[in-house]
Amino acid sequence: MKNHTRDELDTEYFVLRDEEAGLDGVIALHSTALGPGAGGCRFWHYPSREEMTVDAARLARGMTYKNALAELPLGGGKAVLRVPEGQYDREKLFRAFGREVEKLRGRYLTAEDVGTCVTDMEAISSETKHVAGLAQVPGRPGGDPSPWTARGVFGAMRYLALEHLGRPLADCTVAIQGVGNVGGALARLLHAGGAKLILADTNSERLAALATQTGAEVAATSDFCSIKADILAPCALGGVFGEASTARVRAKIVCGAANNQLVSEQDGVRLAERGILYAPDCVVNAGGIINVAAEHLGWDEAEVVRRVDGTAERLARVLARADQLDVAPNLAADGLARERVRQGTALAA
Ligand code: NAD
């Protein structure tokens, strides 16, 4: 057996295969101590089954931590599906996935993630009720969770700019990597707030359109970590900060939506040692899952606003704990999340 982490081994895996529908994926269920394992469905290109499974495990663990830190009655899970090579019927594929979600009888709750959208969730919902992120009904939470994620990240950034740079966001330059659902919404919020933007995305059409809309500068994706900006906001995929890339960071703050931005815990320590404030992704990107929880639990929109706008306060608590313990913020966040899960496990016992 290869070198797997404890979390990868502790996770429950459900292999998803339906050749006719083109379904090839895995659901990773990391914890149900605080409630159903909730986390989106990623639809992405993976070179191998093993890479897909390892990614699902890491994302599922991140969801456990994120949900615990956002004080939601939810555990952590994630589905990862491989994009089929060649032609496929998208609705058929997501309906097949919905049947797999249904088999877990509510232990896993799915929603959007990278590569999936409201239409896919609608297809899933014809097979199971354990899905959120459905088309919005007026007055009720639902729909694409991305604007909520962007709102939470924006709130955290505004707090960090004042607290750690001593100036408002309007006087800051923010570099965003990935201007998709979340990064695009974040760019528009920042632009409306007067911040200067530098944008990078592998999708050159999307990038050019948003740069024109927001008057942003455009950067090469390979240069992202070394961009001279006040704040770096990774909003594409994970694994942005490894040993080599942390050494290249010139910004004072890292605060973005991408899940699992650090390659390892040690990279958070490296950033802290260089005096760079890393806002743990699992703390600042919970806006979307708060909206998903609201849809699932029947909360109203005012409750979603209250909880999403509480992101900066929750971040402040994590940073205070990091200071108190003299550890990097990512370690403080992980410790706090594990404590909450342990308390939940003890209460359920
Ligand atoms: P998305 O697919 O809409 O956008 C991702 C964007 O990143 C795309 O425009 C893509 O072209 C770009 N991209 C991919 N690789 C890149 C690279 N190497 N360099 C630059 N750009 C690249 O996804 P999204 O929903 O906006 O999610 C973005 C990130 O935020 C993901 O890591 C996701 O897990 C995380 N996240 C999303 C939500 C949500 O509500 N959607 C919630 C929490 C966390």
Side-chain angles (χ1 to χ4, degrees), residues 20-173:
E20 206 208 321
L23 178 70
D24 181 12
V26 64
I27 293 174
L29 207 49
H30 177 254
S31 167
T32 53
L34 298 175
C41 169
R42 181 165 292 199
F43 190 49
W44 197 246
H45 306 272
Y46 286 92
S48 72
R49 202 147 245 289
E50 189 181 6
E51 279 170 75
M52 171 178 79
T53 307
V54 167
D55 203 25
R58 287 188 186 140
L59 291 162
R61 181 194 54 182
M63 290 311 300
T64 299
Y65 288 11
K66 185 192 309 200
N67 293 337
L69 288 164
E71 296 159 20
L72 297 171
L74 297 173
K78 200 90 181 182
V80 171
L81 313 181
R82 281 165 98 172
V83 178
E85 280 167 25
Q87 295 279 324
Y88 64 96
D89 177 337
R90 193 164 175 124
E91 190 189 340
K92 195 168 171 185
L93 191 154
F94 281 98
R95 284 187 71 145
F97 170 62
R99 288 194 288 278
E100 297 296 328
V101 173
E102 180 60 20
K103 283 184 195 163
L104 296 180
R105 296 161 180 252
R107 293 184 70 217
Y108 169 63
L109 172 68
T110 198
E112 290 91 344
D113 190 59
V114 174
T116 54
C117 60
V118 174
T119 316
D120 302 325
M121 298 308 121
E122 291 289 336
I124 295 166
S125 76
S126 50
E127 304 289 345
T128 181
K129 64 177 189 319
H130 306 295
V131 53
L134 302 172
Q136 204 171 0
V137 178
R140 297 280 322 213
D144 176 12
S146 311
W148 292 107
T149 305
R151 180 174 172 137
V153 173
F154 178 73
M157 232 181 231
R158 192 170 44 197
Y159 165 78
L160 292 175
L162 284 174
E163 196 68 16
H164 292 272
L165 301 175
R167 52 198 151 98
L169 265 181
D171 295 340
C172 294
T173 302

Side-chain angles (χ1 to χ4, degrees), residues 62 65-67 69-70 258-259 278-286 330 333-334:
Y65 288 11
K66 185 192 309 200
N67 293 337
L69 288 164
N259 284 312
Y278 168 68
D281 46 45
C282 58
V283 180
V284 301
N285 72 7
N330 58 305
D334 289 359

Side-chain angles (χ1 to χ4, degrees), residues 42 44 59 63 66 78 112-116 144-150 176-184 200-204 206-207 220-222 224 234-238 256-261 281 285-289:
R42 181 165 292 199
W44 197 246
L59 291 162
M63 290 311 300
K66 185 192 309 200
K78 200 90 181 182
E112 290 91 344
D113 190 59
V114 174
T116 54
D144 176 12
S146 311
W148 292 107
T149 305
I176 304 179
Q177 180 187 45
V179 292
N181 292 326
V182 181
D201 198 298
T202 43
N203 181 328
S204 51
R206 188 176 292 164
L207 179 65
T221 53
S222 54
F224 177 72
C235 296
L237 298 178
N259 284 312
N260 301 340
Q261 290 166 35
D281 46 45
N285 72 7
I289 196 73

Side-chain angles (χ1 to χ4, degrees), residues 4-20:
H4 287 290
T5 66
R6 197 161 156 234
D7 267 303
E8 283 156 22
L9 294 173
D10 278 353
T11 302
E12 278 182 83
Y13 298 96
F14 303 91
V15 175
L16 319 174
R17 263 201 194 138
D18 180 334
E19 264 180 43
E20 206 208 321

